[in-house]
Amino acid sequence: MEPIIQFNSVTYSYPRTDVPAIRDISFEVDAGEFVALIGPTGAGKSTLCYCFNGSVPQLFSGAMTGTVEVAGCNTYQDEIPVLAQHVGLVVQNARTQLFNVTVLQEVGFGCENLGLPRNVILERVQAALAFVGLSGHEEREPSALSGGQQQRVAIACVLAMDPDVLVLDEPTSELDPIGSEQVMEVIARMNSELGKTIFLVTHDMEFVAKYATRTLVLSDHRLIKDGPPEEIFSNNALLDEARIRPPQVCEVSLGLRKRGYLIPHIPLTMNEAVSTIKGLNHA
């Protein structure tokens, strides 16, 4: 079966710039994967996200080489409305995506643009709001909601259009811990319960360790590593190169390893860390 996402030697430069925002990026993602993209600020992560739905290069223009294919669509050849049926993009500041008077109108807006019948739109809106935990908020003004609720509305807007792939660019960066966890739980359920392919950009390594099954590391506009979170967070040289601070449980284990303790596998969760340290005590 063909991968649902294919980046083939993609290089892109914004208009009137000499340095590429992303350089020679190649990777594939199978349907149903939960992939996290991490790296320092300015590495090109958001630019890469805009490649998924055709915003790069169709809206931003600039110079692009290589190809991007998502769910059988070519992001250079197929129009953005066509791509929107297969890939949804949620940005870090939900307020920039919400502009309708009510939550009901907001979540149904994308479906209306797809030309769906009204009864189908209402069914999709209700199902999407129920999934993100916002049933009963249909007549609320999006601007009156909390930051976490606004982000979940933005996710519902995308979910109602039923895309194959959801790309989320730092969806929790402006939220408090409770709102962040609520949003991440919704994202994880979209993957586990609905089978959506998730591509998540985040600076929160705790979420990467908890939810992602695969991690891409971007540094200096290039993809420098592709592997499972455990492999990424146990590689000190890689973490230093990409200026990434691992999750606290990984950091403690790496510190113990530096002190001479034999730790065969770097734990990703607190339970794993407790088991590892108990094992050291009994060694």
Side-chain angles (χ1 to χ4, degrees), residues 120-186:
V120 174
I121 293 174
L122 290 175
E123 288 176 4
R124 288 198 181 190
V125 169
Q126 295 295 342
L129 287 174
F131 191 87
V132 302
L134 290 176
S135 293
H137 289 68
E138 289 83 355
E139 299 305 321
R140 295 281 302 277
E141 293 183 24
S143 61
L145 301 177
S146 69
Q149 289 173 326
Q150 288 179 346
Q151 196 64 280
R152 282 186 281 154
V153 169
I155 292 172
C157 293
V158 172
L159 187 59
M161 297 174 71
D162 196 27
D164 305 295
V165 177
L166 286 101
V167 180
L168 303 111
D169 187 7
E170 298 190 45
T172 63
S173 64
E174 298 187 3
L175 306 181
D176 60 29
I178 294 176
S180 295
E181 190 60 55
Q182 290 173 339
V183 167
M184 284 305 306
E185 287 175 356
V186 168

Side-chain angles (χ1 to χ4, degrees), residues 16 39 46-47 55 57 59-60 103 136 143 171 182 194 196 221 227 231 236 239 250 253 269 277 280:
R16 299 179 295 280
S46 292
T47 299
S55 294
L59 292 182
F60 295 111
V103 169
S143 61
Q182 290 173 339
L194 303 182
K196 302 297 184 183
H221 316 291
E231 180 181 338
N236 274 315
L239 296 173
C250 300
S253 299
T269 67
I277 293 174
L280 294 177

